[in-house]
Amino acid sequence: MSTLHRSAVTLTDLTFEWPDGTVALSHLSGTFGTGRTGLVGDNGAGKSTLLRLVAGLLTPTTGHVTTTGDVAYLPQTLTLGRGASVARLLGIDTTLDALRAIESGAVDERHFDAVGDDWDVEARAAQALAEIGLDGVGLDRRVGELSGGEAMLVAISGLRVRRSAITLLDEPTNNLDRATRARLAALVDDWPGTLVVVSHDLELLEHVDETAELHAGTLTTFGGPYSAWRAQLEVDQAAAAQAARSAEQTLRAEKRQRVEAETKLARRERTARTAQANRTGSRISMGLRASAAQVSAGSMRQGLDAKVQAAQQALDAAAARVRDDEHVHLVLPDPDVPRGRRLAELHGTNRTVVVQGPERVALVGANGTGKTTLLENLLAGRAPEPGRAGGTLLTDRVGYLPQRRDGLDDARSALDTVRDGAPGVAPGTVRNHLARLLLRGSAVDRPVGTLSGGERFRVALARLLLADPPAQLLVLDEPTNDLDVRSVERLVEALSGYAGALLVVSHDDGFLARLGVDVRLELDRDGALDEVAPGAEHPARGAAARRAGDDGAGR
């Protein structure tokens, strides 16, 4: 039962089809209440499409969306260029320009219209930046000077500054470190108006009033945070599984009784035929008995068939309530990486660390320390700026998944995108691999731009994992961005079959633990690299000395 009593968003018989005829949502009805709602569901279920429909960025094929006020929307991927200003990222650049023009003496009426009632917008923006720990960031600063996490947090703060009645956030914790995730959670706790947030961040989903799930084309709402919803779902699934087992046992029993009945009927028929052959009764009486036996047998068969059919229907209904959690099973080519093969060197200001053999290395650290810049310099062969960390590649067989998923051609199909990296592999083989990554049917042939964030990620991952020749080193920058909980599990399953080396930047401690990371390196703002234990706040310097050579540079 929902804890929220008023609806801010109402969906009525909502259907949406992509231009190629692919149905994303079909006859969906439901509501989002006032307050804070966490929207969950598997990648590809249509969560992002639904948010875009509510925001008015897509038009329903049939049905309609009703909202109680204006809607602000933050997409999965920020599309602003790196040269855009912080003011534009906040969404206040037009208002700010008009305000500054008026302050400079301009009297054009359009400036006053642009400002409206937002005369204090600059002060509110400064306060919003201070609340997220970015009080030193000026409104004219370039977005390209911010880390991905900082840019995301600024964009979210901009939505608060604009004070829309309804706000939609799609995967807002992407690229955020622990500290900024905590700040976002605090913003959510005190969010003005209605908030609907799509996220795979289980901690953030504990800060909502309701959990809504989009599953199998149906939207259901539970009054409570993610953990309470998940616990109830597990209880429901256990009961559904038990009901399915009981229904299956009942079906087997009914089928067994049907077989036993047929055996008895066959015996009776043989006895009747023997009696008729021996003529132990009058022809009339034997005919009557035979006719009665046939009627009785038909009635028995009809009754037993009805029981079997009813048991089958009960089993089908019970089985339909049990969810089928599919798993990824990839057989990947062997990249042939001997255990002692040196593949890359990471140069901190204090030491150099070697990535070698089929090793799994995690690079962690706060937003803004330069983790992504280190990876980009490493891959481009650029020397780092003084006082910054860098790296050197020792193999040319490298696969890279950037933090910003803008390296895919939105107009090309998933199949063609993957084949670009493996032109010698037959299309059927590529289709089979994509199917194992749960990309099937029309999704394989659709333009990448129409896929969900999780589906796009799997296309990018397939392009890396199925490259020919196979990469000896995979470099992954925040690979769990845009992925739901089950998709993260599938990513771990896919990477479990990779025999090369991994260099992974991630703020997701749970993912790193499941990935089986061998070494965690923390990068600080001075460019120093130190090995840290999982979840540790301070470097494990003794362990670092085991595998890294001190080059004499200090912090």
Side-chain angles (χ1 to χ4, degrees):
M1 186 72 180
S2 173
T3 58
L4 305 179
H5 304 291
R6 291 186 297 133
S7 298
V9 178
T10 302
L11 316 170
T12 306
D13 198 29
L14 193 65
T15 295
F16 179 76
E17 296 181 8
W18 293 107
D20 65 356
T22 301
V23 178
L25 297 169
S26 179
H27 302 288
L28 183 71
S29 295
T31 62
F32 293 118
T34 56
R36 300 159 299 177
T37 299
L39 177 59
V40 300
D42 287 348
N43 287 127
K47 301 186 301 296
S48 295
T49 301
L50 179 56
L51 290 193
R52 292 170 68 186
L53 286 164
V54 175
L57 300 178
L58 295 175
T59 302
T61 305
T62 62
H64 58 272
V65 178
T66 304
T67 61
T68 57
D70 62 320
V71 180
Y73 167 67
L74 180 75
Q76 282 186 9
T77 304
L78 297 177
T79 56
L80 286 180
R82 298 172 68 85
S85 67
V86 167
R88 186 178 177 193
L89 186 58
L90 285 167
I92 63 169
D93 53 321
T94 301
T95 304
L96 190 61
D97 289 344
L99 185 61
R100 289 175 175 174
I102 293 171
E103 290 173 346
S104 298
V107 294
D108 193 316
E109 187 175 342
R110 62 187 176 87
H111 294 314
F112 290 89
D113 290 339
V115 173
D117 295 328
D118 290 330
W119 294 97
D120 61 341
V121 66
E122 191 165 7
R124 287 191 289 111
Q127 179 181 353
L129 291 174
E131 288 175 354
I132 59 174
L134 296 176
D135 48 321
V137 174
L139 297 178
D140 296 321
R141 187 170 174 179
R142 303 295 97 183
V143 171
E145 299 174 24
L146 304 177
S147 70
E150 290 170 335
M152 179 64 74
L153 209 54
V154 169
I156 294 168
S157 296
L159 299 182
R160 283 175 57 88
V161 170
R162 293 201 291 276
R163 297 179 291 196
S164 295
I166 301 167
T167 302
L168 314 174
L169 305 180
D170 198 352
E171 297 291 0
T173 59
N174 285 351
N175 310 317
L176 302 188
D177 60 23
R178 291 190 192 93
T180 48
R181 288 186 186 208
R183 293 185 188 118
L184 173 58
L187 293 179
V188 168
D189 286 337
D190 192 34
W191 196 272
T194 295
L195 176 67
V196 179
V197 54
V198 170
S199 181
H200 66 274
D201 186 333
L202 304 188
E203 290 295 327
L204 182 63
L205 292 174
E206 290 302 301
H207 293 261
V208 299
D209 305 303
E210 287 190 338
T211 300
E213 185 193 22
L214 189 57
H215 176 74
T218 301
L219 185 69
T220 56
T221 304
F222 175 83
Y226 180 88
S227 60
W229 167 79
R230 189 70 196 181
Q232 184 61 52
L233 178 64
E234 290 175 359
V235 170
D236 293 343
Q237 282 296 291
Q242 180 58 50
R245 288 192 293 270
S246 298
E248 188 174 10
Q249 291 171 358
T250 300
L251 177 61
R252 284 199 298 265
E254 295 295 349
K255 286 182 175 180
R256 186 169 57 251
Q257 290 181 15
R258 180 69 173 81
V259 171
E260 292 172 352
E262 280 295 338
T263 302
K264 292 178 181 179
L265 289 173
R267 288 173 183 162
R268 290 178 186 175
E269 290 176 2
R270 285 197 301 271
T271 301
R273 286 195 299 270
T274 300
Q276 187 176 13
N278 295 332
R279 295 191 176 182
T280 56
S282 69
R283 183 174 297 177
I284 295 175
S285 64
M286 285 192 295
L288 291 173
R289 284 198 298 270
S291 177
Q294 288 177 354
V295 172
S296 175
S299 178
M300 180 182 293
R301 286 191 177 100
Q302 187 176 10
L304 291 171
D305 286 344
K307 288 183 178 180
V308 170
Q309 184 178 6
Q312 183 65 62
Q313 291 173 344
L315 175 58
D316 292 342
R321 296 194 297 272
V322 180
R323 302 191 179 190
D324 180 19
D325 291 340
E326 297 184 277
H327 296 275
V328 169
H329 299 286
L330 281 179
V331 179
L332 301 176
D334 187 353
D336 187 24
V337 182
R339 185 160 295 279
R341 172 71 186 276
R342 297 160 66 93
L343 300 174
E345 294 178 347
L346 304 180
H347 309 301
T349 53
N350 58 334
R351 57 171 53 82
T352 292
V353 179
V354 176
V355 179
Q356 61 186 31
E359 190 172 44
R360 302 186 171 212
V361 178
L363 183 61
V364 301
N367 286 135
T369 55
K371 301 184 297 297
T372 294
T373 301
L374 187 157
L375 296 186
E376 291 174 345
N377 288 338
L378 169 71
L379 296 166
R382 292 192 299 263
E385 297 177 4
R388 306 292 287 180
T392 303
L393 280 178
L394 304 177
T395 177
D396 58 356
R397 288 167 53 184
V398 180
Y400 176 47
L401 186 72
Q403 184 181 109
R404 303 186 185 195
R405 313 279 195 255
D406 51 10
L408 301 179
D409 185 343
D410 285 350
R412 289 179 67 76
S413 70
L415 178 63
D416 290 338
T417 299
V418 176
R419 290 197 68 206
D420 287 344
V425 180
T429 301
V430 174
R431 284 183 183 275
N432 289 338
H433 281 302
L434 288 172
R436 293 189 183 102
L437 281 169
L438 310 184
L439 283 167
R440 304 187 179 101
S442 62
V444 175
D445 298 307
R446 282 170 51 197
V448 169
T450 67
L451 301 179
S452 71
E455 289 170 328
R456 286 173 61 90
F457 170 79
R458 277 177 272 161
V459 171
L461 180 64
R463 187 172 63 173
L464 294 185
L465 294 178
L466 305 177
D468 186 21
Q472 294 182 326
L473 171 65
L474 288 185
V475 180
L476 311 178
D477 195 355
E478 296 290 357
T480 59
N481 283 355
D482 308 325
L483 301 188
D484 60 43
V485 177
R486 283 176 58 188
S487 292
V488 173
E489 295 171 355
R490 291 166 182 161
L491 171 60
V492 172
E493 292 166 359
L495 292 177
S496 67
Y498 176 63
L502 291 176
L503 176 57
V504 185
V505 169
S506 180
H507 295 296
D508 190 334
D509 289 335
F511 165 68
L512 294 178
R514 282 176 285 171
L515 193 59
V517 166
D518 301 303
V519 180
R520 295 192 190 210
L521 298 172
E522 183 179 44
L523 178 66
D524 69 14
R525 294 186 184 277
D526 296 324
L529 283 170
D530 282 298
E531 189 170 346
V532 294
E537 296 295 329
H538 302 290
R541 300 184 187 280
R546 170 177 58 79
R547 45 175 292 101
D550 194 335
D551 63 7
R555 287 179 181 270

